[in-house]
Amino acid sequence: MKKTLLSTVMLCASTMLMAQPGGGFGGFGGFQMQQPKLETSQEWKDVNYAGDDQAYHTCDIYLPKVEKAAYPVVIHIYGSAWFSNNSKGAADLGTIVNALLKAGYAVVCPNHRSSMDAKWPAQIHDIRAVIRFVRGEAKKYKFDTSFVATSGFSSGGHLSSTAATTSGLKQTKVGNYDIDLEGTVGCFANESSAVNAACDWSGPVDLTKMDCGPGMSMGANSPEDVLLDSKLDKEPDKYNSLSATYYVNKNNPPIIIFHGEKDNVVPCCQGKMFYEKLVAAGVKTEATFVPEGGHGMGMYSEENLQKMVNFLNAVRTGK
């Protein structure tokens, strides 16, 4: 699938997305079926993490079936090419979220502002607000904040990865572009927005090289163009500011990557470039590139889900 076709499909679907509380759009290419009911001990739906009345600032919270005093936390972010502001109900619940819950992790699935609501960096401001909310409301929701990780598919993988590679960095200059990475969303400004680990499932992580795959063409008005309200040849610094790879350094938390070799939406070279940069910087990382994996399709095997859990467990326990 060429990016020109993808962009047209996504732009046409965006209005429907923002009107669908359950969400059905799988992000950066693909659609997700509504997921089955999860086995949990407690659930909270439509919790506002920003202290306002906006649906795009709500999250769903799931606690594992086995009850404990507190649980380590993973924030899992849906994919939508940044076009959806209300797809938390379809955030890989039957696969990634289910595996995390069974492994004993509390899971928070947030909405965030779409590229139609606000331009970059509003989306990372929202995710950082979720991280601070987790710490600020730890007692109420039984969160063990000694371990807070992010995870995400497609554009959610981008936000998860960027939250990790910018962890601890509140403001910086990317070329001539000044970027505030922290924002002021929410009521817990004094809490940390740092994360302990991240999972990247098929994420676009270098938005200056989305043509890296064979047969890939950016086309006009790509999702990243819409998000930045710009063009790569006009404002390359903006595209670097959107790229998780730009911020890679030795202080990044551990990151695990999953990408399909046959992904025709976000090319697999994105995941491979990310992995190579992390290794070169000395960041703890693992990567799985699935030979027959597409954009989400064929990616969620029990083996891969267990790799994710094992990686997070190892980071959390220091093994």
Side-chain angles (χ1 to χ4, degrees), residues 14 17-18 20 23-25 78-88 111-115 117:
S14 61
L17 280 169
M18 290 187 282
Q20 273 189 290
F25 193 73
Y78 58 80
S80 72
W82 310 286
F83 281 130
S84 176
N85 65 9
N86 200 354
S87 290
K88 59 183 173 59
N111 284 332
H112 60 76
R113 282 172 288 177
S114 72
S115 57
D117 298 312

Side-chain angles (χ1 to χ4, degrees), residues 126-200:
D126 288 351
I127 298 308
R128 287 193 168 204
V130 177
I131 299 166
R132 296 194 303 267
F133 168 86
V134 164
R135 291 194 165 95
E137 293 285 17
K139 186 175 181 180
K140 180 176 181 179
Y141 296 107
K142 299 182 181 180
F143 295 144
D144 175 2
T145 58
S146 67
F147 186 85
V148 180
T150 52
S151 171
F153 165 67
S154 196
S155 61
H158 160 266
L159 291 172
S160 170
S161 298
T162 307
T165 60
T166 65
S167 188
L169 183 63
K170 295 189 175 184
Q171 190 161 354
T172 192
K173 197 174 184 70
V174 179
N176 293 318
Y177 181 59
D178 287 307
I179 182 167
D180 170 15
L181 292 160
E182 189 70 22
T184 58
V185 177
C187 305
F188 298 102
N190 293 327
E191 297 290 346
S192 170
S193 62
V195 295
N196 300 102
C199 307
D200 169 24

Side-chain angles (χ1 to χ4, degrees), residues 23-87:
F25 193 73
F28 240 102
F31 293 81
Q32 294 180 345
M33 299 296 290
Q34 191 65 32
Q35 304 291 358
K37 181 175 174 59
L38 300 168
E39 292 187 0
T40 58
S41 59
Q42 284 184 279
E43 298 181 11
W44 294 265
K45 297 295 181 70
D46 301 319
V47 177
N48 193 288
Y49 61 82
D52 58 23
D53 60 355
Q54 299 297 324
Y56 56 55
H57 281 153
T58 58
C59 64
D60 295 341
I61 299 169
Y62 305 94
L63 299 187
K65 185 176 181 179
V66 177
E67 294 192 48
K68 292 184 178 180
Y71 306 88
V73 185
V74 179
I75 297 162
H76 183 69
I77 310 159
Y78 58 80
S80 72
W82 310 286
F83 281 130
S84 176
N85 65 9
N86 200 354
S87 290

Side-chain angles (χ1 to χ4, degrees), residues 3 19 28 44 100 108 167 232 234 238 264 273 306:
K3 278 294 182 68
F28 240 102
W44 294 265
L100 290 168
V108 178
S167 188
L232 178 59
K234 292 182 178 179
K238 274 193 175 183
N264 64 351
M273 288 188 296
Q306 191 60 51

